[in-house]
Amino acid sequence: MEFEIFTEKVIAAMKEYADGRGEVRLNKVMKNNSVELTGICIFREGANITPTVYIDDYFKRYNRGEDFDDLMNEVIDIYEKHKDTESFDLSFFKSFDTVKDRLVYKLICIEKNETLLKEIPYVPYLDMAVVFYYMLPEDSLFNASILVYNNHIKSWGVGVEEVKEAAFRNTPCLLNPRLSNMETILMEVSNKWKEEAATLGRCDEWEEKLEHSLDECTGEHIGEVPMFVLTNERKFNGAACILYRGILKQFSDRLNQSFFILPSSVHEVILVPESEVPNPTQLSVMVRDINSTQVAADEVLSDSVYFYDYSKEELKIYA
């Protein structure tokens, strides 16, 4: 089925669900890495915000044979969970004084965001860009944020340096770093699978999934995974933690050696001690392969491998 025909079916189903309580619209949204997604919204009278549910993946699942009604029930469930907030006062965003304490930063790829970077303030960092956004309090909208554009800082009467200073001060405080051994991460995943499988009455399924994942991730070294995951407590835009003052040096000092950084996604990076990498060139192949097959296109950070030099105390792109 063509995507246009699928969207017509989605609109019809959402209109039936809305039953005149709002106007159903499709929105094209440009996400990170110039990825354009299609979202379905219901605009209700008196509300200035509404949940957007992106339907691109649902189209793929439909073409793989999943039932349309089941997919639409998922879309409606997502909408129901997030529809309660009908209005949000954005007047605070007109003043730098009222936003500066919640300005934070994240890392994105320069090459994949050339168009966006013409419209927003940023600071180049290796082959990435440090960009800035306002992080709404968790009790407002979870992980909701407002990207800072050039027209914002112009209206605030400030420059990039002032925004950068605020963001570099706030980010480590508002988004505390979290460094975990890969085994810990895999155990967390296994526990989640166990809970889900138990709910579905298939308590042995999680063990099979975990064993398969361990085989893929560790090869013959099951039980000893010399890899570490760096992110923040929200696990959202956590790759930016590599910019936290002293964090890479502290990790290197603890290892007493240099290490590689693999950009798993915009949300986290993987740290691998140099002594555990007999053939570093394979890392580049692995990163590119994972980015192209395992990571959502709008969450890819970079195809590069990075190297923290213990003796020089500096991070660089590994050539």
Side-chain angles (χ1 to χ4, degrees), residues 250-302:
Q250 290 179 40
F251 182 71
S252 184
D253 287 342
R254 186 67 62 88
L255 294 175
N256 198 32
Q257 62 175 295
S258 303
F259 59 91
F260 293 92
I261 296 181
L262 312 182
S264 177
S265 75
V266 295
H267 302 304
E268 70 279 308
V269 295
I270 297 174
L271 315 182
V272 189
E274 183 181 22
S275 60
E276 301 291 340
V277 185
N279 186 357
T281 57
Q282 292 182 346
L283 295 178
S284 299
V285 177
M286 181 177 70
V287 168
R288 289 195 297 271
D289 181 61
I290 291 176
N291 281 345
S292 63
T293 61
Q294 305 297 322
V295 183
D298 62 325
E299 295 185 351
V300 171
L301 176 58
S302 171

Side-chain angles (χ1 to χ4, degrees), residues 169-272:
R169 179 178 63 251
N170 298 333
T171 308
C173 300
L174 296 176
L175 296 168
N176 297 157
R178 181 189 181 197
L179 180 64
S180 306
N181 185 280
M182 183 64 81
E183 286 182 283
T184 302
I185 300 297
L186 291 173
M187 188 56 65
E188 289 178 358
V189 172
S190 75
N191 289 336
K192 180 180 179 181
W193 280 336
K194 184 177 181 179
E195 292 173 3
E196 292 177 351
T199 302
L200 296 173
R202 300 196 301 272
C203 296
D204 58 336
E205 182 176 333
W206 73 274
E207 294 178 342
E208 296 176 6
K209 288 183 176 180
L210 175 60
E211 183 176 357
H212 177 68
S213 294
L214 284 170
D215 287 342
E216 287 189 336
C217 295
T218 65
E220 298 178 352
H221 304 291
I222 295 179
E224 295 182 9
V225 187
M227 305 169 76
F228 302 83
V229 178
L230 177 61
T231 182
N232 55 42
E233 289 182 342
R234 286 196 181 192
K235 301 179 183 177
F236 184 72
N237 292 327
C241 288
I242 65 173
L243 292 173
Y244 290 9
R245 185 176 60 190
I247 195 168
L248 300 184
K249 183 181 185 306
Q250 290 179 40
F251 182 71
S252 184
D253 287 342
R254 186 67 62 88
L255 294 175
N256 198 32
Q257 62 175 295
S258 303
F259 59 91
F260 293 92
I261 296 181
L262 312 182
S264 177
S265 75
V266 295
H267 302 304
E268 70 279 308
V269 295
I270 297 174
L271 315 182
V272 189

Side-chain angles (χ1 to χ4, degrees), residues 14-22:
M14 292 301 287
K15 283 183 176 179
E16 182 178 350
Y17 157 74
D19 192 26
R21 292 171 295 173

Side-chain angles (χ1 to χ4, degrees), residues 61-78:
R61 290 168 59 185
Y62 179 71
N63 277 339
R64 289 197 296 265
E66 293 193 41
D67 182 73
F68 180 79
D69 290 337
D70 290 341
L71 295 175
M72 288 310 304
N73 285 335
E74 281 190 35
V75 172
I76 291 171
D77 284 344
I78 293 173

Side-chain angles (χ1 to χ4, degrees), residues 19-196:
D19 192 26
R21 292 171 295 173
E23 180 185 357
V24 177
R25 299 182 200 167
L26 280 180
N27 283 336
K28 295 289 185 179
V29 180
M30 188 65 70
K31 306 290 282 186
N32 185 46
N33 294 335
S34 302
V35 175
E36 186 179 74
L37 297 179
T38 302
I40 190 82
C41 310
I42 300 176
F43 286 87
R44 292 168 291 170
E45 187 176 352
N48 67 352
I49 61 173
T50 184
T52 297
V53 183
Y54 297 106
I55 63 173
D56 305 78
D57 283 339
Y58 290 99
F59 172 64
K60 296 176 184 177
R61 290 168 59 185
Y62 179 71
N63 277 339
R64 289 197 296 265
E66 293 193 41
D67 182 73
F68 180 79
D69 290 337
D70 290 341
L71 295 175
M72 288 310 304
N73 285 335
E74 281 190 35
V75 172
I76 291 171
D77 284 344
I78 293 173
Y79 179 82
E80 284 286 338
K81 289 177 182 178
H82 298 89
K83 72 174 184 178
D84 290 338
T85 304
E86 296 186 350
S87 61
F88 192 80
D89 184 7
L90 288 171
S91 60
F92 72 93
F93 209 69
K94 296 178 181 179
S95 168
F96 183 67
D97 286 337
T98 55
V99 302
K100 64 181 181 181
D101 291 335
R102 295 195 67 83
L103 289 177
V104 291
Y105 62 79
K106 63 181 177 179
L107 285 170
I108 64 174
C109 177
I110 288 180
E111 183 181 3
K112 297 177 184 292
N113 290 282
E114 291 181 351
T115 301
L116 175 64
L117 291 175
K118 295 176 182 177
E119 302 178 20
I120 64 175
Y122 72 97
V123 178
Y125 181 71
L126 300 176
D127 60 345
M128 299 173 285
V130 183
V131 301
F132 311 101
Y133 63 100
Y134 178 89
M135 186 176 72
L136 274 70
E138 287 190 66
D139 57 357
S140 299
L141 297 166
F142 182 68
N143 278 345
S145 61
I146 305 173
L147 187 64
V148 175
Y149 279 75
N150 292 330
N151 63 305
H152 291 142
I153 63 173
K154 183 178 180 181
S155 67
W156 295 337
V158 300
V160 178
E161 276 303 314
E162 290 167 279
V163 174
K164 175 186 173 183
E165 181 181 343
F168 272 69
R169 179 178 63 251
N170 298 333
T171 308
C173 300
L174 296 176
L175 296 168
N176 297 157
R178 181 189 181 197
L179 180 64
S180 306
N181 185 280
M182 183 64 81
E183 286 182 283
T184 302
I185 300 297
L186 291 173
M187 188 56 65
E188 289 178 358
V189 172
S190 75
N191 289 336
K192 180 180 179 181
W193 280 336
K194 184 177 181 179
E195 292 173 3
E196 292 177 351

